[in-house]
Amino acid sequence: MNFSEMKEILFGEAKKAGLTDYDVYFRMASDASAEALNRELSSCTSGTTGGISFRCAVNGCIGSASTQCLEKQELIELVPRAIANTGVIDADETPIFFEGSGKDAYRKVTVTASELPQASTLRHAALQLQEQLYAASEMMTDGTSSGAGAANISVSLANSKGLDLSHSAGMSYTYAEAIVNDGKEPSFGFAFAPGVDTDGDLAQKATAEALARLGAGSVKTGSYDVIFSAKQVRTLLSAFSGIFSGKNAMLGLSLLAGKEGQKVASDLLTVVDDPFYAENTMQMPFDAEGVATKEKNLIENGVLQTLLYDLTYAKKAGKESTGNAARGSIADPVSISPYCLRIAPGSDSPDTLREKMGNGLYITELKGLHAGSNAVTGDFSIESAGFWVENGKLTTPVHSFTVAGNFFDLLKAIDGVANNVEMGMPSVSGTAAPDVLIRGISVAGA
Amino acid sequence: MIEKNVIEELLGIAVSTGADFAELFAQKERSGQLRFISGKIESVRDHQLSGVGIRAFVGAKTFYASTSDTSRQGLLRCAAAVAGAVGDGVGASRCMNLNPEAVTEDKILNYPNDVEAKRKADILREAADAAIHLDEKIVQVQGTFLDVDRRFLVANTEGLCREDRKIRTRISISAVASDGHENQSGFFGPGAGQGIEFFEKRSPRSVGERAARQALTNLSAVYCPAGTMTVAIENGFGGVIFHEACGHSLEATAVGIGASQMAGKLGQQIANPKVTAIDDGTIAGGWGSFSIDDEGNPAQRNVLIENGILKSYMVDRLGSRRMGVPMTGNSRRENYTYEPTSRMTNTFIANGPDKNEDIIASMEYGLYAKAMGGGSVNPLTGEFNFAVTEGYLVRNGKICEPVRGASLIGTGSQILQDIDMVGQNMATGQGMCGSSSGSVPTDVGQPLIRVAKITVGGRS
């Protein structure tokens, strides 16, 4: 059954039940991957998952029900299930089903989805990378893995107000994880790249990282200047992305509440929410309520410009929706989420930024942020690893220490932003960031 | 769930191109979730998950395909995708006649799907209201009520054909306390492999109050000092230390490919002799329990470490092939879209010889970690971290002022030796564990323990 057939069944049932406000959200995802391990192909996977959700409003309450079983009888049952669920919701404001932003408001994405690569292409890439990894160092050892994969997603949204939108996006990637052992200890390095060709320096990058980490020393407890690598700035940005939610702000779960128009960060920081970031293949022209998406500055030169809103919380806050309604899966209710959250590049090269710091730590790894960071309070205390920077130059590796602080203080303590903006794995809600210098952060070590 | 002859046909296709083994996993799972925020039930999740995964082995190579399309055509496509990925060899193996067994199921008194959503909402409201009304400094309370009815069938070319049904129920409350300048939070989320009867023993009120108290404690807390110190870790979710520091490194997922600090150490003294650690998937009503694992093997009680000596790993079918040791009933996956792998179930440090009061009394200066958040580990190096969500400084054997924002880090091999006192109040706590086969419910547990020295990540 295709989307319009499913929509017809659900809309028909909705009308029969006397509903006037409802929507149908459909998502189909397909993926394929190949992985190699210890010089051999180790696994090949592929998958196709579809699902549909029906939402409706009864007496001012939204109910919903969803299923992955796309048979007619199952679809028919979705409608009474959703109606029954409205009965336990505490009525809030009248739910909003959106007419649409107007035909011309939906911007064209710059990258369109293509067919998934052939399984043989993925295998070849995984094995090529494996060869490159083992060729890159004699210290390469068991557990060294590599892989290639791709995923496509298509979403469709239609509602009782006549909205009918569809969009597809795709991504592909290769990765290499090097495990080296110098006879004393193992060490690892990881690198990934978009696309499935293996002509680049992915294996070399992963190997260089693993080798550089060998023989890591300890850090004495104290206060240090640090540079977070681009990858770790992304990690932090992602862990604290909830602070930009207009809903969280209204509910007392974000300390950015009421600060629109105020200075919340260093002049050097500009944070952009960008559904159309050119480096991200997973672009999104409309949100989970059908509102057209747009690029906007959240923080501009340190000043908070806007929070993110869906229709409901925009109305409550007396604002316009920013097109940031999201659904984590077809089963999830509408929430608020950024698209590609990116930090605008600064003027310094990464080398210049290290020179600017002089002495301190270059943090290349942050682990366990799901536990070690709290977006409500801003507090974090995170296991870290990286390198000493002495007189502006990277020297020896260090590990087994924590960096601790408060994210809101950190934003103000930024003293340098490099120009090396790096995009993470393509994703509808990805991140992109450069190296960032922070003065005076608490470190716990040996 | 799927007819026997259809399963045999699908498995036959999966091994037709040279695989030596194939397995089919079909799942139907109905799950519900109510969310509470700002004094209201805000949303309902009501989801039917449905799909099939088919896997084939060629030695230790695996080929996996999954689909939510369970029509005959969809299933045939899925089996063909596996066969196509295996290659163009000729099948020497075939599917044996399947021998379907009766569905295994726990004794559930009150199935969540038979209970009106309103009753679940009342339970959630009771917990949330208890948190809201505990103190006027509690400014926000969020809560969820979760129930899962997971049914699956697993069949393989060796003739195994088993079905299982598992019920899980969980409530969680997260409270925010504010003094007008700062926010602090508290969380409690107990659950069980039971139906709604779970709330007969666990009052919703107590859940809300515990979360709110933690938020209030943290609001009055100062930042935890940083450095290396002696730490006492309380029972229940405190057991996350073993889960992260050692448990993941004992999974065949890492051991089987040589990427674990614990590889090759069976029979060796890897922990203080006071440490005995067990993974037990058979505990009745346990959050991480099941009758059969996701490869169809019965759950087991596996002693991992006995008096400090490494006795066993946790091994799934692929790990068994790689390591040449028997499977241990630890194969798990979030759902049919994932290949299963070796995972923990209910994992805990057993009661030891020390009295709890002696443990605190023994500490001249250190940290008492009363409640823990989650953590993570790199099994290769054993480097782990986890968060302290409620902590107090200890001076001269007495628990003193609360401290916040601490995390604990170390390496598994070192920490196991440094656990030098083990108390006697073993209890478990519930969590969701993420790994390559998705997010699965696991229990962690321990009695109060003392770690002689560990790096405490706080503010210097």
Side-chain angles (χ1 to χ4, degrees):
Chain A
M1 229 185 297
N2 62 30
F3 176 64
S4 63
E5 288 164 338
M6 290 188 280
K7 185 184 86 175
E8 202 171 310
I9 292 171
L10 286 163
F11 276 32
E13 292 301 310
K15 280 176 197 145
K16 263 192 245 165
L19 297 172
T20 52
D21 292 305
Y22 47 86
D23 71 12
V24 175
Y25 184 74
F26 172 71
R27 191 183 295 198
M28 178 65 80
S30 55
D31 63 78
S33 69
E35 186 172 300
L37 180 71
N38 303 347
R39 298 173 191 267
E40 288 189 337
L41 187 75
S42 59
S43 76
C44 281
T45 66
S46 63
T48 309
T49 312
I52 195 158
S53 151
F54 178 79
R55 289 198 314 158
C56 62
V58 177
N59 298 328
C61 301
I62 288 251
S64 76
S66 57
T67 186
Q68 291 185 333
C69 180
L70 305 177
E71 290 163 13
K72 188 172 179 186
Q73 192 51 41
E74 181 85 11
L75 295 180
I76 288 171
E77 284 166 19
L78 276 188
V79 177
R81 272 169 59 195
I83 293 172
N85 287 332
T86 60
V88 287
I89 298 288
D90 294 312
D92 195 0
E93 284 182 30
T94 310
I96 305 162
F97 289 88
F98 188 56
E99 292 89 353
S101 297
K103 229 178 186 179
D104 301 331
Y106 299 102
R107 216 179 112 179
K108 280 215 160 47
V109 297
T110 59
V111 189
T112 50
S114 47
E115 292 279 304
L116 290 180
Q118 295 287 326
S120 55
T121 307
L122 298 175
R123 284 175 198 221
H124 179 73
L127 286 167
Q128 279 284 114
L129 286 167
Q130 195 70 189
E131 260 181 45
Q132 292 169 6
L133 280 164
Y134 276 90
S137 168
E138 286 180 355
M139 282 191 255
M140 203 63 61
T141 186
D142 281 1
T144 293
S145 65
S146 51
N152 277 347
I153 181 173
S154 66
V155 293
S156 299
L157 172 67
N159 71 19
S160 51
K161 303 273 177 168
L163 188 79
D164 198 338
L165 299 166
S166 287
H167 177 65
S168 300
M171 56 89 83
S172 60
Y173 60 90
T174 47
Y175 74 87
E177 182 167 21
I179 298 186
V180 298
N181 196 319
D182 61 0
K184 286 184 233 148
E185 58 176 12
S187 168
F188 67 97
F190 181 85
F192 76 91
V196 292
D197 72 63
T198 54
D199 299 338
D201 57 353
L202 200 62
Q204 286 74 16
K205 263 192 195 161
T207 308
E209 188 176 292
L211 293 172
R213 279 181 173 156
L214 280 169
S218 57
V219 180
K220 280 212 163 65
T221 299
S223 176
Y224 296 85
D225 292 344
V226 304
I227 292 171
F228 288 103
S229 72
K231 186 175 170 187
Q232 301 317 328
V233 175
R234 290 204 321 265
T235 306
L236 283 167
L237 196 58
S238 172
F240 286 97
S241 64
I243 65 172
F244 293 110
S245 158
K247 175 180 178 181
N248 285 347
M250 191 164 282
L251 299 176
L253 299 170
S254 166
L255 290 171
L256 291 183
K259 301 227 167 119
E260 281 156 302
Q262 294 180 30
K263 188 117 169 70
V264 297
S266 152
D267 293 346
L268 300 171
L269 185 71
T270 292
V271 179
V272 187
D273 179 51
D274 192 350
F276 302 98
Y277 185 44
E279 301 289 313
N280 185 14
T281 59
M282 300 286 272
Q283 302 178 0
M284 227 20 237
F286 58 87
D287 75 357
E289 294 175 320
V291 177
T293 61
K294 60 182 180 195
E295 177 186 348
K296 62 262 178 198
N297 287 348
L298 303 185
I299 295 175
E300 189 174 318
N301 301 326
V303 176
L304 182 66
Q305 302 295 314
T306 182
L307 295 172
L308 303 173
Y309 296 99
D310 62 359
L311 288 167
T312 304
Y313 280 88
K315 191 175 168 196
K316 287 184 185 190
K319 313 250 180 191
E320 295 279 309
S321 167
T322 54
N324 287 87
R327 296 179 73 166
S329 76
I330 52 142
D332 291 325
V334 169
S335 61
I336 295 175
S337 174
Y339 296 97
C340 184
L341 210 48
R342 62 180 175 85
I343 291 181
S347 50
D348 296 332
S349 72
D351 286 341
T352 311
L353 198 65
R354 285 190 281 271
E355 279 160 24
K356 195 168 168 184
M357 178 167 76
N359 296 312
L361 289 162
Y362 183 59
I363 309 277
T364 55
E365 205 177 344
L366 294 173
K367 292 185 279 190
L369 270 89
H370 64 287
S373 65
N374 184 328
V376 173
T377 63
D379 286 339
F380 63 84
S381 173
I382 305 164
E383 182 192 355
S384 313
F387 297 86
W388 283 118
V389 175
E390 290 165 279
N391 299 319
K393 303 277 180 237
L394 285 175
T395 59
T396 51
V398 283
H399 70 153
S400 292
F401 62 95
T402 64
V403 293
N406 185 283
F407 189 70
F408 298 97
D409 297 338
L410 200 78
L411 293 178
K412 292 175 186 146
I414 292 172
D415 195 30
V417 175
N419 58 8
N420 62 329
V421 175
E422 291 174 13
M423 171 74 201
M425 203 65 105
S427 162
V428 171
S429 54
T431 47
D435 289 6
V436 169
L437 165 63
I438 311 276
R439 296 288 181 186
I441 198 163
S442 283
V443 168
Chain B
M1 217 173 275
I2 304 178
E3 297 291 318
K4 175 176 175 276
N5 59 336
V6 176
I7 301 172
E8 285 171 344
E9 182 185 358
L10 296 169
L11 290 174
I13 293 170
V15 291
S16 65
T17 51
D20 59 76
F21 172 85
E23 171 193 83
L24 175 143
F25 179 84
Q27 184 182 10
K28 277 205 178 291
E29 180 177 299
R30 182 78 180 263
S31 60
Q33 189 181 53
L34 298 172
R35 288 194 204 184
F36 178 99
I37 192 163
S38 272
K40 289 172 178 163
I41 303 281
E42 178 204 42
S43 66
V44 184
R45 180 187 152 117
D46 171 4
H47 184 55
Q48 177 69 56
L49 177 143
S50 168
V52 165
I54 298 175
R55 180 168 67 152
F57 282 173
V58 178
K61 292 190 182 76
T62 71
F63 301 86
Y64 192 73
S66 66
T67 181
S68 60
D69 180 359
T70 54
S71 66
R72 181 174 162 75
Q73 225 178 8
L75 294 173
L76 288 171
R77 258 200 303 269
C78 185
V82 173
V86 169
D88 46 13
V90 179
S93 49
R94 63 187 182 84
C95 178
M96 288 176 61
N97 280 336
L98 293 178
N99 178 26
E101 296 176 22
V103 179
T104 49
E105 186 173 359
D106 294 337
K107 192 173 173 210
I108 299 294
L109 300 176
N110 233 330
Y111 284 95
N113 284 341
D114 296 342
V115 171
E116 273 190 17
K118 190 182 167 306
R119 184 159 162 222
K120 299 175 197 173
D122 287 344
I123 292 172
L124 181 56
R125 269 195 203 95
E126 185 185 338
D129 285 347
I132 293 164
H133 295 126
L134 191 74
D135 193 292
E136 58 186 20
K137 291 199 183 84
I138 300 294
V139 293
Q140 185 54 275
V141 172
Q142 291 174 275
T144 59
F145 183 103
L146 172 82
D147 58 76
V148 178
D149 184 346
R150 183 184 202 253
R151 299 168 195 239
F152 71 87
L153 175 153
V154 59
N156 67 34
T157 46
E158 291 175 355
L160 179 145
C161 183
R162 289 182 176 145
E163 278 188 74
D164 185 57
R165 182 179 183 189
K166 182 79 203 167
I167 303 291
R168 287 195 177 84
T169 306
R170 188 181 195 189
I171 189 168
S172 64
I173 295 291
S174 155
V176 178
S178 177
D179 57 9
H181 305 287
E182 277 188 321
N183 288 352
Q184 285 300 322
S185 59
F187 173 85
F188 189 44
Q194 297 176 347
I196 306 298
E197 65 270 20
F198 173 60
F199 296 99
E200 288 164 13
K201 286 195 178 151
R202 171 75 74 180
S203 92
R205 164 167 289 276
S206 68
V207 176
E209 288 178 350
R210 183 154 159 185
R213 266 197 210 102
Q214 192 179 89
L216 291 166
T217 300
N218 283 330
L219 193 63
S220 66
V222 294
Y223 281 115
C224 184
T228 301
M229 56 184 97
T230 304
V231 178
I233 304 171
E234 194 46 277
N235 68 359
F237 202 74
V240 71
I241 187 173
F242 183 82
H243 178 102
E244 300 297 355
C246 183
H248 280 295
S249 303
L250 297 178
E251 293 168 340
T253 317
V255 181
I257 59 170
S260 164
Q261 52 162 347
M262 296 296 174
K265 292 194 177 168
L266 273 186
Q268 292 181 26
Q269 183 92 37
I270 61 160
N272 187 295
K274 286 183 178 176
V275 176
T276 289
I278 295 158
D279 180 81
D280 188 352
T282 70
I283 297 170
W287 176 244
S289 298
F290 42 78
S291 305
I292 55 169
D293 74 4
D294 290 347
E295 288 174 342
N297 292 316
Q300 284 181 209
R301 181 178 194 271
N302 298 306
V303 176
L304 304 174
I305 296 173
E306 191 170 22
N307 302 326
I309 293 169
L310 180 59
K311 292 286 182 183
S312 175
Y313 297 114
M314 291 169 276
V315 187
D316 63 322
R317 184 175 289 273
L318 177 63
S320 171
R321 286 188 171 212
R322 283 180 171 152
M323 295 159 67
V325 297
M327 294 180 272
T328 59
N330 284 91
S331 180
R332 305 185 70 185
R333 55 180 127 198
E334 179 178 334
N335 60 46
Y336 69 90
T337 65
Y338 295 89
E339 270 189 271
T341 189
S342 53
R343 305 290 294 270
M344 283 174 265
T345 63
N346 307 297
T347 316
F348 56 91
I349 295 176
N351 278 332
D354 299 302
K355 288 194 177 130
N356 285 12
E357 53 271 31
D358 292 348
I359 294 178
I360 301 297
S362 73
M363 293 166 64
E364 196 176 312
Y365 177 79
L367 177 70
Y368 166 57
K370 188 177 177 192
M372 311 298 303
S376 72
V377 66
N378 179 340
L380 176 71
T381 59
E383 289 175 303
F384 69 86
N385 61 75
F386 57 105
V388 180
T389 53
E390 185 177 347
Y392 301 81
L393 284 182
V394 178
R395 286 192 200 85
N396 303 318
K398 297 267 183 317
I399 294 171
C400 301
E401 72 272 21
V403 288
R404 71 190 194 213
S407 60
L408 305 180
I409 65 161
T411 55
S413 51
Q414 187 60 45
I415 204 86
L416 287 173
Q417 301 287 356
D418 289 342
I419 297 175
D420 62 351
M421 293 181 89
V422 179
Q424 297 170 340
N425 59 337
M426 207 295 280
T428 60
Q430 291 71 54
M432 295 301 293
C433 169
S435 183
S436 61
S437 65
S439 175
V440 300
T442 54
D443 249 7
V444 298
Q446 65 175 35
L448 178 70
I449 62 167
R450 188 181 95 148
V451 182
K453 60 177 190 322
I454 187 167
T455 301
V456 177
R459 311 251 188 126
S460 37

